[in-house]
Amino acid sequence: MAIVCGRLSGLIVIDIDDPILAALFEHRFPQLTQTRVIRSGGRGLPHYYFRLPPELPTVETIRQHGIELRSNGAYVVAPPTQIDTGEWRIERGGLPRSLSARDLHELREFFASVNQPSESDRKLVLLSHISTDEKAVSSSLAVGFNRQENIDLTAYYRQRAPQIGRNNALFAAAIHARDNGISELDVLAALVRDHTEQVSAWAHRPEAPTLRQRESLLTIRSAFSRHPRRATSLSTIPQGSGLPDSVREKLLQQGQASAARVLDALYLSGWNDDNGRRFTEREALTICQQAGIGRRALLDTLKLTDTKGQPLFLENLPPPAPPQDLCPSNGHSNSFSSGEEKNMLCTVAARVKRPSDVQTHIASAKTTAHRGRPPRYYFLPTISTLCQRLRVQRSISAPMHTDELRSAKHYRQALHREFIRRRPGLYSRGWLSARLGVSRWTTLRYDDAVGIRVQPMYSKQQISWANVNDVPETQQDAPITGAWLQTFTGKRFPPIRALAKKLLARRGNWLLYITRIANHYSYNSG
């Protein structure tokens, strides 16, 4: 089945045969994508239908590499046409959008830019020459952009792909590039080919290069759908700040919440000398008590050891004081031996009823002498030394108020709040709980206590006969986070492969495989 385009039918159709140009069109004209959309059965790319008002002049057909504006003298294949295994189907129903004179002008400029792209589109348009042939995919992007600019980003992706998987590595690399000021177009130019050629580290069925390209486009677009996270330089950390977050997390994961609170209290008070500060237990206890931390937590902290079992706080005992002369005479020490001194004191006591001057001096010396054990001195390690001995990298220090040190619960809540405030994004509940050394249920309570907004996120995969095996064979094989099949009417079915094949067998059906992924966390300042 086909539809004639142009003035006869009043329809104009934009037929895109290249996934890169499809992404560029959606990026440049998001408002024009809100029209009737037909998914092609050949390449699986969209056809955008528009209505040409009678008052506008006739538009001629425009053909460029990978994209075509079909008008007079052209036609398009329409649903429910089926050719071999390909099926043309409705992706977005409704009436076609009516074009304005401004829309036509912008479309003409866009088609002209495909052959003569602007500087901002140059790198992305070069990707439109990727062929479906694997050899062409391997060599089509040898030129066209500054390779030196993307060497680190490519290495970032290739290093992580065998460890966390290709898609996760691509998303992480895109996030890293976004946060470091690299544009989406540059990321596409740098990573699409590498992601297409990257071999899976695990058992995986072979995929066509076009599917890999489309997957990379959607992943990178998802990474750039949110604003970059603001990075804080270590040089901006003010003097007298608390522990680095990396040290806090390390201590919490080791069950040393009291030690983290004590160290934060000491550092926040300004005890962060370059050579380490010498202090006594009494001095440290005075500061800790002001933050609501008890003596037991301080004593446990002073016994803290590093990864090698060595104490973090070097202990220093003062040398014993020299003996004092009990009976000085004219500024000179006496020369009596212990026996002579004893005989002299007994003689004086026997002759007088009232204490002599010597006895008065002895009594005074006894009352003023230091009693008890000598004080122990400790050296507070610098932050650099602390990071080195705990084997963590120095990071920024989230702002911490002394009131939040009074208990481990309030301390962890403050760290959780400041992390999400600084870096909103997608995180697994398990990772957030492991970061603080608590359970998943505890972080759920923390979200409510400190005002964290949690938004469930889902991954949507369009299912066809080519990838129907991606659906689990049984419901027990589905992800435990949640998964289901969904038709274009919104009806849901269990994620079972046999059921997916049955739904696909129905003529004109459209099917999605939806899985629950990591939630998106943000801080609700209100």
Side-chain angles (χ1 to χ4, degrees), residues 69-367:
L69 189 150
R70 300 196 175 191
S71 184
N72 285 346
Y75 68 91
V76 290
V77 179
T81 301
Q82 286 184 326
I83 300 177
D84 296 332
T85 59
E87 178 184 359
W88 278 253
R89 59 183 179 275
I90 300 175
E91 181 172 294
R92 190 178 189 276
L95 297 176
R97 175 190 174 97
S98 182
L99 292 176
S100 63
R102 180 176 180 178
D103 292 336
L104 286 176
H105 176 72
E106 292 179 349
L107 286 174
R108 288 192 179 98
E109 289 185 346
F110 174 76
F111 275 82
S113 69
V114 174
N115 284 340
Q116 297 179 352
S118 63
E119 184 63 23
S120 61
D121 295 338
R122 180 175 59 87
K123 297 178 182 180
L124 183 59
V125 174
L126 284 173
L127 295 176
S128 64
H129 298 286
I130 297 179
S131 170
T132 56
D133 181 74
E134 293 185 2
K135 295 182 180 180
V137 171
S138 302
S139 59
S140 59
L141 290 180
V143 296
F145 54 88
N146 185 357
R147 297 293 299 178
Q148 184 67 29
E149 176 186 352
N150 302 299
I151 288 178
D152 293 340
L153 186 59
T154 303
Y156 186 96
Y157 166 75
R158 291 178 178 175
Q159 180 183 1
R160 286 159 177 77
Q163 302 172 358
I164 61 177
R166 294 177 296 183
N167 293 341
N168 292 333
L170 179 64
F171 186 78
I175 291 291
H176 176 74
R178 181 202 68 186
D179 295 343
N180 286 274
I182 302 177
S183 68
E184 181 179 357
L185 304 179
D186 290 340
V187 175
L188 287 169
L191 295 181
V192 167
R193 184 185 67 177
D194 290 319
H195 184 67
T196 304
E197 298 176 347
Q198 182 69 33
V199 179
S200 177
W202 305 297
H204 199 283
R205 66 177 182 82
E207 293 178 316
T210 53
L211 294 178
R212 302 283 300 146
Q213 293 168 21
R214 180 169 180 80
E215 182 182 69
S216 63
L217 287 172
L218 296 176
T219 302
I220 294 174
R221 185 189 307 168
S222 175
F224 278 84
S225 62
R226 299 187 181 276
H227 296 294
R229 298 175 295 199
R230 293 179 296 178
T232 304
S233 174
L234 292 179
S235 61
T236 62
I237 299 179
Q239 295 295 328
S241 60
L243 284 175
D245 283 359
S246 56
V247 176
R248 291 167 171 167
E249 294 172 8
K250 181 74 171 182
L251 293 175
L252 291 177
Q253 292 165 9
Q254 294 178 348
Q256 299 288 347
S258 297
R261 293 160 53 214
V262 170
L263 286 170
D264 253 324
L266 298 180
Y267 285 130
L268 287 172
S269 66
W271 284 18
N272 191 14
D273 301 337
D274 293 338
N275 298 322
R277 186 183 182 93
R278 184 171 178 263
F279 66 96
T280 64
E281 176 191 327
R282 184 179 297 273
E283 293 173 341
L285 182 59
T286 302
I287 294 178
C288 289
Q289 287 177 341
Q290 295 175 357
I293 303 174
R295 184 170 180 266
R296 175 54 57 187
L298 174 61
L299 294 178
D300 292 341
T301 303
L302 294 178
K303 301 175 184 177
L304 193 64
T305 59
D306 59 11
T307 56
K308 296 182 179 180
Q310 300 298 322
L312 285 177
F313 296 89
L314 298 178
E315 201 172 334
N316 183 280
L317 291 176
Q324 297 181 352
D325 294 328
L326 298 179
C327 301
S329 176
N330 298 326
H332 300 283
S333 60
N334 65 68
S335 59
F336 297 114
S337 64
S338 59
E340 294 173 341
E341 179 182 339
K342 179 178 180 181
N343 292 335
M344 183 196 72
L345 294 177
C346 293
T347 302
V348 172
R351 291 181 180 178
V352 296
K353 296 181 179 180
R354 309 180 79 179
S356 65
D357 294 339
V358 175
Q359 289 173 320
T360 304
H361 179 79
I362 293 174
S364 176
K366 289 182 178 181
T367 56

Side-chain angles (χ1 to χ4, degrees), residues 338-523:
S338 59
E340 294 173 341
E341 179 182 339
K342 179 178 180 181
N343 292 335
M344 183 196 72
L345 294 177
C346 293
T347 302
V348 172
R351 291 181 180 178
V352 296
K353 296 181 179 180
R354 309 180 79 179
S356 65
D357 294 339
V358 175
Q359 289 173 320
T360 304
H361 179 79
I362 293 174
S364 176
K366 289 182 178 181
T367 56
T368 58
H370 177 75
R371 296 181 179 180
R373 296 180 180 178
R376 292 186 177 184
Y377 290 89
Y378 302 87
F379 286 96
L380 180 66
T382 63
I383 290 182
S384 300
T385 303
L386 196 61
C387 293
Q388 181 180 4
R389 299 188 64 181
L390 292 178
R391 296 184 179 181
V392 296
Q393 294 184 351
R394 182 169 179 173
S395 64
I396 66 171
S397 177
M400 182 75 63
H401 195 271
T402 54
D403 290 343
E404 295 167 334
L405 303 177
R406 64 185 184 273
S407 69
K409 172 184 175 181
H410 292 90
Y411 186 74
R412 291 190 179 100
Q413 286 180 354
L415 290 180
H416 186 54
R417 179 197 66 227
E418 293 302 323
F419 175 76
I420 299 300
R421 186 208 301 268
R422 186 176 73 253
R423 301 184 62 179
L426 297 177
Y427 303 102
S428 68
R429 179 68 66 178
W431 184 85
L432 290 175
S433 59
R435 173 179 173 266
L436 300 176
V438 295
S439 66
R440 290 177 170 87
W441 295 106
T442 302
T443 57
L444 282 170
R445 293 192 295 269
Y446 288 175
D447 292 341
D448 296 334
V450 300
I452 301 298
R453 183 188 298 110
V454 183
Q455 179 180 356
M457 303 297 290
Y458 303 92
S459 172
K460 299 181 180 180
Q461 181 183 2
Q462 186 174 338
I463 298 300
S464 63
W465 289 108
N467 62 352
V468 70
N469 290 333
D470 289 349
V471 180
E473 186 172 0
T474 63
Q475 193 168 0
Q476 287 72 21
D477 298 331
I480 59 176
T481 55
W484 66 88
L485 298 171
Q486 182 171 314
T487 64
F488 72 97
T489 60
K491 190 174 182 179
R492 299 183 179 184
F493 296 89
I496 302 174
R497 187 180 303 168
L499 182 57
K501 293 180 178 180
K502 182 177 179 180
L503 293 173
L504 288 175
R506 298 178 182 177
R507 187 180 181 87
N509 209 344
W510 180 81
L511 194 61
L512 283 179
Y513 176 45
I514 302 178
T515 56
R516 176 80 177 269
I517 60 176
N519 295 331
H520 182 271
Y521 294 84
S522 59
Y523 177 65

